[in-house]
């Protein structure tokens, strides 16, 4: 298969083969699994606790803010470790030091903004 359309044909054939493998796995799973539905198996399972009440529950937006702050500081840590290894390389010292101070200034500004808005308090 040479030429412009030959490469696309190769990709299409690989997608078809992949889809056939996934579809075959689903069909084999459906054919080989035991299927004995009971009322206990059909109830909603929530960590071993029987479901009580409605399916609607409100949650505070503050929990999402904590999750976002965690992600921001996790990304900060992901950038700090490679920076520490490049910082010791010859010729990169002052440039990487300046870049990291700019990066940490953005993180500190975000933290100061979160503190000012009061989202860092639990109550």
């Amino acid at each position: 298969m040479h030429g412009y359309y030959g490469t696309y044909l190769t990709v299409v054939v690989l997608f078809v083969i992949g889809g056939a493998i996934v579809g075959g796995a689903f069909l084999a799973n459906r054919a080989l699994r035991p299927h004995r539905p009971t009322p206990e198996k059909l109830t909603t399972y929530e960590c071993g606790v029987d479901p009580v009440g409605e399916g609607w529950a409100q949650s505070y937006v503050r929990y999402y803010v904590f999750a976002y702050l965690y992600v921001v500081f996790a990304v900060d840590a992901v950038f700090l470790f490679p920076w520490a290894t490049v910082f010791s390389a010859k010729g990169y010292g002052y440039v990487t030091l300046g870049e990291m101070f700019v990066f940490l200034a953005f993180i500190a500004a975000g933290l100061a903004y979160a503190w000012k808005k009061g989202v860092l308090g639990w109550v």
Side-chain angles (χ1 to χ4, degrees):
M1 289 188 222
H2 297 289
Y4 183 75
Y5 293 111
T7 55
Y8 285 111
L9 183 62
T10 304
V11 171
V12 168
V13 168
L14 288 175
F15 270 119
V16 168
I17 291 172
I21 290 172
V22 170
F26 278 125
L27 287 175
N29 181 23
R30 187 169 188 95
L32 297 175
R33 69 185 168 115
H35 184 69
R36 295 182 195 96
T38 62
E40 290 82 19
K41 288 182 181 179
L42 296 176
T43 60
T44 304
Y45 180 75
E46 296 178 2
C47 302
V49 179
D50 291 332
V52 176
E54 298 178 14
W56 175 258
Q58 291 183 344
S59 61
Y60 293 111
V61 176
R62 180 170 292 178
Y63 296 130
Y64 297 109
V65 173
F66 284 119
Y68 288 139
L69 287 174
Y70 171 76
V71 168
V72 165
F73 289 112
V75 168
D76 182 30
V78 166
F79 283 123
L80 280 175
F81 289 119
W83 169 78
T85 59
V86 172
F87 183 69
S88 64
K90 202 173 223 185
Y92 289 106
Y94 292 116
V95 174
T96 57
L97 184 66
E99 290 174 351
M100 189 48 63
F101 277 131
V102 169
F103 179 71
L104 289 176
F106 278 114
I107 296 295
L111 181 62
Y113 179 76
W115 187 321
K116 181 182 175 190
K117 287 293 187 178
V119 297
L120 296 178
W122 281 98
V123 179

